[in-house]
């Protein structure tokens, strides 16, 4: 069975290109490449780019790009998709050039989210990534650009698609109870395709956008903390303060992007070894922290 190997690139529709360029470079520390009047590409490592940003009023995910090993794997994945009733369309040579890949397929996940699979990414080892900020860089490589959390229409159908068609593996489930920042009981599924704890997570989440957040993993905790304080200095809304997650053990915070969805900026997540990993469940999202800024501390239980 062919399997996707990493979250390779992410397409974003944004309404304000100028604000996103400032946000991406001055705060996130990403590098802008190939800028045009219709959008730009963002780089974060040796890949030519990891983000494709284009002008559109949606302010949401435009497409999700999953990498496979080679042409044979892409052909096998095409067969798996069609066998499951998923319509696929090969990307044209011009589209592949714009994506920076040799070949790719276009299709939709069960919720209608535009999705792509590709092989042969364009690399740039000649000019090492240089952040516009004094950062040490990001944890990417074979683990991909980071992770995404998306809203789906049917969690069971999405689990089947990502596991049985794209070949991903379950990491764990979180059953959030009422009282967390999303405000209702909620089930989230976390899936991996390489040692990163999860490359995608999803749930039937009560928000208008498909993309809840994407995560960037910094190489040092200093980079995370300095970015959080810089965001505060710039007046960027902090939607969740510094905290550590229960499932991937990431220390991170969340900030609001110019498009309204969130960015998780983190450090120190544990990784998955498929030879020993066991599927887990959790009843909370964080061991500590990740509070909404200005939220009151939780009330202690009264003593009997």
């Amino acid at each position: 069975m062919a399997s996707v190997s990493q979250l390779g690139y992410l397409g974003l529709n944004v309404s304000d290109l100028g604000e996103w360029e400032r946000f991406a470079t001055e705060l996130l520390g990403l590098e802008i490449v190939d800028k045009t009047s219709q959008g730009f590409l963002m780089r974060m490592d040796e890949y030519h780019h990891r983000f494709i940003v284009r002008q559109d009023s949606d302010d949401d995910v435009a497409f999700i790009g999953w990498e496979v090993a080679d042409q044979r794997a892409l052909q096998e994945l095409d067969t798996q998709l069609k066998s499951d009733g998923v319509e696929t369309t090969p990307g044209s040579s011009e589209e592949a050039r714009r994506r920076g890949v040799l070949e790719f397929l276009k299709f939709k996940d069960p919720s209608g989210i535009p999705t792509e699979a590709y092989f042969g990414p364009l690399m740039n080892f000649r000019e090492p990534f240089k952040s516009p900020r004094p950062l040490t860089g990001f944890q990417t490589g074979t683990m991909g650009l980071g992770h995404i959390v998306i809203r789906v229409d049917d969690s069971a159908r999405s689990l089947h698609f990502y596991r049985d068609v794209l070949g991903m593996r379950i990491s764990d489930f979180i059953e959030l109870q009422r009282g967390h920042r999303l405000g209702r009981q909620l089930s989230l599924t976390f899936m991996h395709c390489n040692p990163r704890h999860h490359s995608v997570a999803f749930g039937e989440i009560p928000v208008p956008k498909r993309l809840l957040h994407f995560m960037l993993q910094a190489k040092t905790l200093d980079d995370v903390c300095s970015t959080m304080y810089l965001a505060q200095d710039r007046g960027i809304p902090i939607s969740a303060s510094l905290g550590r997650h229960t499932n991937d053990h990431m220390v991170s915070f969340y900030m609001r992007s110019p498009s309204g969805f969130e960015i998780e900026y983190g450090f120190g997540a544990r990784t998955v070894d498929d030879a020993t990993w066991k599927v887990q469940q959790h009843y909370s999202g964080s061991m500590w922290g990740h509070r909404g800024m200005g939220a009151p501390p939780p009330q202690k239980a009264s003593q009997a």
Side-chain angles (χ1 to χ4, degrees):
M1 177 180 181
S3 302
V4 300
S5 61
Q6 63 166 278
L7 175 60
Y9 57 75
L10 189 62
L12 301 174
N13 287 331
V14 309
S15 58
D16 191 331
L17 287 173
E19 186 62 27
W20 254 100
E21 181 177 359
R22 289 186 291 272
F23 178 76
T25 56
E26 298 175 10
L27 195 61
L28 300 184
L30 302 176
E31 183 180 355
I32 303 295
V33 296
D34 291 352
K35 179 181 173 183
T36 71
S37 60
Q38 286 77 44
F40 50 82
L41 309 178
M42 299 194 298
R43 187 180 184 210
M44 63 188 299
D45 61 2
E46 67 275 9
Y47 277 54
H48 180 267
H49 60 271
R50 291 289 197 171
F51 293 90
I52 301 169
V53 181
R54 61 190 194 185
Q55 178 86 53
D56 193 282
S57 60
D58 284 352
D59 278 312
D60 206 344
V61 61
F63 47 82
I64 302 168
W66 298 101
E67 187 171 311
V68 298
D70 52 29
Q71 188 178 51
R72 177 176 292 181
L74 188 65
Q75 293 169 345
E76 291 176 354
L77 185 63
D78 188 25
T79 299
Q80 290 165 199
L81 287 160
K82 290 176 178 175
S83 296
D84 202 64
V86 179
E87 182 179 347
T88 68
T89 304
S92 68
S93 57
E94 175 58 25
E95 288 175 318
R97 185 193 65 79
R98 293 199 300 267
R99 294 288 191 272
V101 301
L102 287 174
E103 291 183 25
F104 77 107
L105 290 173
K106 296 185 287 185
F107 49 95
K108 292 183 178 180
D109 86 340
S111 299
I113 300 174
T115 305
E116 301 174 358
Y118 71 91
F119 80 93
L122 178 63
M123 311 298 286
N124 186 0
F125 291 105
R126 186 182 64 180
E127 300 169 328
F129 165 71
K130 185 177 181 181
S131 175
R133 290 185 54 212
L135 300 176
T136 55
F138 301 97
Q139 293 284 359
T140 56
T142 58
M143 295 197 299
L145 69 88
H147 74 235
I148 53 173
V149 178
I150 54 176
R151 171 178 62 86
V152 298
D153 298 333
D154 186 318
S155 290
R157 288 182 62 210
S158 296
L159 174 58
H160 164 74
F161 176 79
Y162 285 99
R163 178 188 60 195
D164 304 327
V165 182
L166 297 191
M168 301 182 74
R169 283 86 68 193
I170 300 170
S171 300
D172 44 44
F173 301 92
I174 294 182
E175 302 290 335
L176 292 173
Q177 306 303 306
R178 292 183 182 275
H180 60 83
R181 63 193 181 95
L182 291 176
R184 54 168 280 188
Q185 188 167 332
L186 188 65
S187 177
L188 297 173
T189 302
F190 295 79
M191 306 198 71
H192 66 275
C193 55
N194 56 56
R196 191 182 294 282
H197 176 274
H198 59 282
S199 292
V200 66
F202 53 81
E204 298 170 30
I205 305 163
V207 295
K209 296 184 185 297
R210 285 296 182 185
L211 180 61
L212 269 75
H213 73 256
F214 65 79
M215 184 280 299
L216 304 178
Q217 184 172 341
K219 291 185 177 180
T220 69
L221 183 59
D222 281 350
D223 287 347
V224 173
C225 296
S226 65
T227 301
M228 185 180 73
Y229 284 113
L230 179 59
Q232 290 179 311
D233 292 344
R234 296 289 181 88
I236 303 298
I238 305 295
S239 45
S241 64
L242 204 66
R244 184 185 288 273
H245 282 303
T246 53
N247 59 348
D248 67 358
H249 297 184
M250 177 85 74
V251 175
S252 65
F253 77 98
Y254 292 74
M255 58 185 141
R256 193 70 47 81
S257 77
S259 293
F261 54 77
E262 298 175 344
I263 315 296
E264 181 183 9
Y265 215 88
F267 165 76
R270 62 174 171 165
T271 55
V272 171
D273 180 350
D274 280 314
T276 58
W277 185 263
K278 305 297 181 184
V279 175
Q280 303 170 8
Q281 62 174 328
H282 306 273
Y283 286 146
S284 65
S286 303
M287 302 179 199
W288 54 265
H290 288 140
R291 295 179 185 168
M293 296 300 282
Q299 296 296 313
K300 293 182 179 179
S302 59
Q303 297 295 319

